[in-house]
Amino acid sequence: MGHNLTNADKILQAVLKDPGLVNLGEYRPQEYETISDALNSDNAYVYTVAKIIDEGSMGNKSEKQLYNEIANYLFKNI
């Protein structure tokens, strides 16, 4: 840490530190400092959280579009 983190990065870190999600997703939160790190992850839980935060902060997609994109991703990867 120590470099300029965006609000989205900070939200990501807070969500990924949730013990229940860590247990479910079997990942190490410290490996994902930024949204970019998480979007490049092979872990479906980490990627999905990052995608929701990233798209939500950008506001370029409707909730339905975001839901469909994430649902398709999860269907293919879980």
Side-chain angles (χ1 to χ4, degrees), residues 24 42-46 48 70-78:
L24 185 64
D42 291 334
N43 185 296
Y45 296 93
V46 171
T48 300
I70 291 171
N72 287 334
Y73 170 82
L74 291 173
F75 181 74
K76 291 176 186 174
N77 290 286
I78 293 184

Side-chain angles (χ1 to χ4, degrees), residues 25-67:
E26 300 177 349
Y27 61 87
R28 294 171 26 116
Q30 59 271 25
E31 293 179 4
Y32 306 102
E33 187 171 311
T34 66
I35 290 286
S36 180
D37 295 338
L39 288 173
N40 289 315
S41 175
D42 291 334
N43 185 296
Y45 296 93
V46 171
Y47 174 86
T48 300
V49 168
K51 189 70 172 171
I52 291 168
I53 294 169
D54 187 49
E55 292 293 339
S57 68
M58 292 176 39
N60 293 336
K61 295 183 180 174
S62 71
E63 289 178 7
K64 183 175 180 162
Q65 289 172 314
L66 181 57
Y67 171 84

Side-chain angles (χ1 to χ4, degrees), residues 1-6 9-10 13 32-37:
M1 264 197 249
H3 54 77
N4 295 328
L5 297 175
T6 66
D9 295 334
K10 293 173 186 176
Q13 290 176 0
Y32 306 102
E33 187 171 311
T34 66
I35 290 286
S36 180
D37 295 338

